[in-house]
Amino acid sequence: MLIKYFAWIKNITSCDQENLDSKKLKTIDDLKIHLNTKYPDLKKHIDKDTLRFAINQEYLSENKKIYKNDEIAIFPPVSGG
Amino acid sequence: MLIKYFAWIKNITSCDQENLDSKKLKTIDDLKIHLNTKYPDLKKHIDKDTLRFAINQEYLSENKKIYKNDEIAIFPPVSGG
Amino acid sequence: MIKIQKEDFNIEVEIELIKSSLPSVGAVTSFIGYVRDFNNNKNVNSINLEVYEKMVHKELTKITVKAKQKWELIDCLIIHRHGYLEVNEKIVLVACFAKHRQESFNACNYIMNYLKKYAPFWKKENYTNNSEWLENTN
Amino acid sequence: MIKIQKEDFNIEVEIELIKSSLPSVGAVTSFIGYVRDFNNNKNVNSINLEVYEKMVHKELTKITVKAKQKWELIDCLIIHRHGYLEVNEKIVLVACFAKHRQESFNACNYIMNYLKKYAPFWKKENYTNNSEWLENTN
């Protein structure tokens, strides 16, 4: 699955997108645990629940299953307009 | 004093402004009585209190004294914008 | 700034003229009123807008002063046309310049409400075979 | 209509493009957001606006559909820029086309509120010696 990062999250991940192995990651919660380990600086933001998640360009409000071909975006609160 | 008429009131008065003798017209109420007589078709509108009066370009909410050099405007509710 | 004129205006030019010297402005809300093709169940071809020129500046100035007391406005612009106007032509522009969005929205709405009530303009609608003065329906 | 672009736009041209074919429209309320020179106690020189392109059309379409269900809107236009923008440049235009004034005001305000909450854009402000990503303060 493709994971996309926006705004200052890219500073923590050092990339704006990456492919992750979907075999072990069945849900958004699995993904959060995985990212907390891979990017320790992201942990406090994920724990504080300040980040937004979108699956295939739709906002997510609760844990959800994720699939091989999904595009998952992780970003801070938006600030356009 | 100069009396100015706007919108459909001009159709009744057949003029857009006129000078009236200020000697007998001391207040707006005097003026209303005078106009009711001079323009019978105006009477129902003046009686129904639907018209607006302005003295020297300021809206009027009650009876007021009027003077020789005043400009008095009489018009229906506005409809700009 | 208040402009009463017969001529059309360009929204981009008019707003930019004020905005370009106000770098602290982050929000401009504007309202544009147009001549509609249909009103009170009748097809409208054009309108004639009468104005009490001597009074309109006084009245609109009062309204903008009130708006600036009530909302944090940096500037505001009112352009109101008069004379003969056809369907689709602009009648009025009110643009409110503020730091933040909600102030500019509230001020613009407020000014339009007062303008509709107090600005001395009168519309006569022209139909195919006759014409009629409007009462304000707000 | 929704446009996401780097280039500037002309308010008069964009509004007229839609309005000229809608003679029943009597009211257009529009909001324009600009880059301000000062924010969070810092002098801003410019901003970089990042966008999630694939998501932004979906999200803004949802918002305009909701607005049209809620208010009697004949049409609406959203233009949002991204990339590098200097102080005084336009960021966003939302224009709401309706028969009557209050519908266009309410719809425009509504769309801006939702756009600020959900449209996937992120601002990085550039100061003299550094830059900083913004949190949305609404």
Side-chain angles (χ1 to χ4, degrees), chain D residues 38-127:
Chain D
F38 196 76
N39 196 27
N40 295 335
N41 295 317
K42 282 179 195 140
N43 289 309
V44 177
N45 296 325
S46 61
I47 66 168
N48 284 81
L49 246 169
E50 188 176 350
V51 59
Y52 183 3
E53 290 229 39
K54 219 168 153 184
M55 183 170 180
V56 69
H57 281 275
K58 274 196 194 183
E59 206 52 42
L60 291 179
T61 303
K62 266 189 221 166
I63 294 171
T64 58
V65 167
K66 268 194 215 164
K68 282 179 185 173
Q69 283 165 350
K70 209 169 155 60
W71 314 103
E72 273 196 47
L73 267 191
I74 295 175
D75 206 346
C76 94
L77 166 68
I78 303 178
I79 306 178
H80 204 303
R81 295 173 68 190
H82 60 106
Y84 175 82
L85 300 175
E86 298 191 338
V87 167
N88 259 344
E89 283 199 77
K90 300 181 205 101
I91 300 170
V92 64
L93 169 70
V94 171
C96 290
F97 300 73
K99 275 193 191 170
H100 301 294
R101 182 167 95 260
Q102 209 52 57
E103 298 288 317
S104 75
F105 260 112
N106 292 344
C108 192
N109 204 349
Y110 177 92
I111 289 175
M112 276 309 302
N113 286 341
Y114 276 79
L115 186 153
K116 285 287 222 183
K117 268 191 198 142
Y118 296 115
F121 291 97
W122 300 271
K123 282 189 189 119
K124 190 170 70 177
E125 288 186 338
N126 303 314
Y127 316 114

Side-chain angles (χ1 to χ4, degrees), chain A residues 56 58-59 71 76 78-79 81, chain D residues 52 62 118 121-123 136:
Chain A
N56 301 324
E58 303 278 350
Y59 278 102
E71 177 177 300
V78 302
S79 57
Chain D
Y52 183 3
K62 266 189 221 166
Y118 296 115
F121 291 97
W122 300 271
K123 282 189 189 119
N136 187 359

Side-chain angles (χ1 to χ4, degrees), chain C residues 3-19:
Chain C
K3 301 182 185 182
I4 308 298
Q5 62 189 51
K6 289 197 168 177
E7 310 78 50
D8 193 17
F9 51 84
N10 181 304
I11 310 166
E12 171 75 26
V13 170
E14 298 289 348
I15 288 180
E16 198 54 28
L17 206 65
I18 294 174
K19 166 59 193 157

